[in-house]
Amino acid sequence: MDRGRLTGLGGVLCSLSLLCVILDGVLGATRGEMEHHLEMGRKLLAAGQLAEALSHYHTAVEMDSKNYLTYYKRAAVFLAMGKSRSALPDLTRAIQLKPDFLAARLQRGSILLKQGNAQEARDDFEAVLRSSPESADARERLARARDLEELQENAQVAYYRADYVAAVSALDQVIEISPWDPEMRELRADCHLRAGDPQKAIQDLAPATRLRSDNRAAFLKLSLLHYSLGEHRESLNQVRECLKLDQDDKECLGHYKQVKKLSKQLDSAEELIQAERYRDAIEKYEFVMKAEPHVVYYANLARERICFCLVKVKAATEAIKVCSEAHQRDPRNARILRDRAEAFILNQDYENAVEDYQEAVEFDGDCDDIREGLERARKLLKISRKRDYYKILGVSRAANKQEIIKAYRKLAQQWHPDNFQLEADKKEAEKKFIDIASAKEVLTDPEMRQKFDAGEDPLDPENQQQQGNGHNGHAWPFPFNPFESGGSFHFKFQ
């Protein structure tokens, strides 16, 4: 071989050697860097800094995608973070790289079992037992996987037989073994709904929404349930979660618009009530009744609040009618009974007012308004059996001062004692005239009228004696008597 060829070969060999040295250096640096990331991941995991640990394991996996332990360790971080769905692919990859990696199989089988995948979990546990027959963990979990399969079948059979009690009983045991299975939670929710218990259905659907990456159907169902129960704000929250996953979801978007519109009306109505704009609030609630006639809660709520508003504007007859309709639809609602009692009081029907308040106390005896209302209604009933100044003048409890004075003048003229000739008639006229004058005095004096409306007769001798300034009999409320000389009326009696 000539010198030139030897020189060329030597150059090639020299170049290859240099490349090997460079590669060894790079690989050495890469291996060292990967070990650093693995060590940092381990320390951060032990310290509970899961997000930071995960970042290091991500880098380690990217640097060496053939290392089964790196996948296994990253899966451990995902599990510590509660992300079992993310851990599963890493465990599967670790098993693919090392089929006899029993710890990974046992861990994957446990996740599959909790997710309700009984058959796949059983395959993993059986594989562990074939290699390690003495594994007590694998044997115990295999038994649970077999139990799960049987319980799942029992639950399905009971459900299709419409035996929802038996289905729920089986599903309770299923979910105890596989708490991460959204299908079983949704099935139990459906059983609760069919059995008439929407609150328990909500308790199952809420976690089911988190067990799938895209569970718009569960969010929509939750929203509909909250809506049917009258929880319109929570209904809005749930349907918004659906729209976060897909803002163009047709069903969620349609329901969102409906709930938002109703929610706005309800909130606006209550703001109007707070501002004492009761007639405007009635209009809002009438809209609610038209918008949702088939949702029992909103129809009942609208009638209840209209009843309340009509009492506030002193529309007694109309209030009694609406309150009675509301009571018929919701007979155990103490607030409706309270408001109808107030309407009866406005209508001077104290016996019915007392009856309504007594019934309201049975349903809500702890409410101060209701207890105080009952006491006031009883006082008014007692007074009415003596003297009811509104009835004496023939005016409603909502009458203003001008209406009261007008009624007084008319009656005073009618019962003028000089209009009567017989002594007995004059005596009767005198008594009525005194009652008319007393009624006018009480009802045109704001303080005295307030006392009377609260169930206290300010001219009642018993009340006056309690206050230290009693009178006997029907006291004349003025500093003069029109039947005596010096008064503004000059009547002569034989």
Side-chain angles (χ1 to χ4, degrees), residues 72 91 95 100-109 128 141:
Y72 183 72
L91 290 170
I95 294 167
D100 61 347
F101 190 9
L102 300 186
R105 280 195 179 276
L106 193 62
Q107 187 66 69
R108 186 176 70 173
V128 172
R141 293 176 198 183

Side-chain angles (χ1 to χ4, degrees), residues 276-305:
E276 298 184 358
R277 293 170 57 188
Y278 301 112
R279 285 292 180 186
D280 293 335
I282 288 171
E283 288 182 12
K284 296 289 184 184
Y285 276 116
E286 285 174 345
F287 171 85
V288 170
M289 288 174 64
K290 291 176 183 176
E292 287 298 351
H294 304 301
V295 180
V296 173
Y297 176 86
Y298 298 112
N300 289 356
L301 174 66
R303 283 183 175 83
E304 176 190 333
R305 299 306 278 162

Side-chain angles (χ1 to χ4, degrees), residues 182 185-186 188-190 192-193 197-212 215-243 245 251-252 255-256 259 298:
R185 286 189 179 275
E186 288 165 4
R188 189 168 67 176
D190 194 48
H192 286 312
L193 271 179
D197 196 340
Q199 288 291 356
K200 284 188 177 178
I202 287 172
Q203 291 170 11
D204 267 334
L205 284 172
T209 60
R210 299 188 295 271
L211 294 172
R212 295 185 199 272
N215 204 346
R216 283 172 287 161
F219 279 121
L220 179 59
K221 199 165 189 177
L222 264 178
S223 180
L224 289 166
L225 280 173
H226 283 296
Y227 188 70
S228 70
L229 294 172
E231 300 163 358
H232 58 280
R233 292 185 183 87
E234 187 57 32
S235 178
L236 268 180
N237 291 338
Q238 296 301 329
V239 77
R240 280 174 179 144
E241 292 298 320
C242 173
L243 291 171
L245 296 170
E251 287 186 279
C252 287
H255 183 60
Y256 170 74
V259 181
Y298 298 112

Side-chain angles (χ1 to χ4, degrees), residues 387 389 433-443 459 475-477:
R387 287 188 300 180
Y389 297 127
F433 194 89
I434 290 174
D435 284 343
I436 292 163
S438 298
K440 181 254 185 184
E441 176 66 9
V442 170
L443 298 183
L459 302 183
W476 182 253

Side-chain angles (χ1 to χ4, degrees), residues 83-125:
K83 297 180 177 180
S84 59
R85 287 198 301 270
S86 299
L88 211 52
D90 276 359
L91 290 170
T92 298
R93 182 59 180 153
I95 294 167
Q96 289 170 346
L97 293 169
K98 187 174 174 57
D100 61 347
F101 190 9
L102 300 186
R105 280 195 179 276
L106 193 62
Q107 187 66 69
R108 186 176 70 173
S110 298
I111 293 173
L112 291 168
L113 184 63
K114 288 185 177 181
Q115 290 180 340
N117 298 317
Q119 178 62 57
E120 294 177 49
R122 187 151 60 87
D123 291 343
D124 271 340
F125 298 141

Side-chain angles (χ1 to χ4, degrees), residues 405-474:
I405 292 173
K406 182 179 179 181
Y408 161 73
R409 287 173 177 167
K410 181 180 179 181
L411 289 170
Q413 186 177 12
Q414 178 185 343
W415 290 98
H416 193 297
D418 282 352
N419 292 336
F420 300 90
Q421 302 301 318
L422 296 176
E423 184 67 23
D425 293 341
K426 285 184 179 290
K427 288 289 185 184
E428 179 66 20
E430 180 182 344
K431 178 179 179 299
K432 285 187 178 292
F433 194 89
I434 290 174
D435 284 343
I436 292 163
S438 298
K440 181 254 185 184
E441 176 66 9
V442 170
L443 298 183
T444 55
D445 182 290
E447 185 177 346
M448 295 176 78
R449 185 175 181 177
Q450 185 178 9
K451 286 183 178 180
F452 184 73
D453 286 345
E456 176 186 339
D457 186 349
L459 302 183
D460 190 315
E462 292 180 10
N463 292 333
Q464 292 173 342
Q465 286 169 7
Q466 290 172 4
Q467 296 168 8
N469 56 355
H471 297 276
N472 293 322
H474 285 302

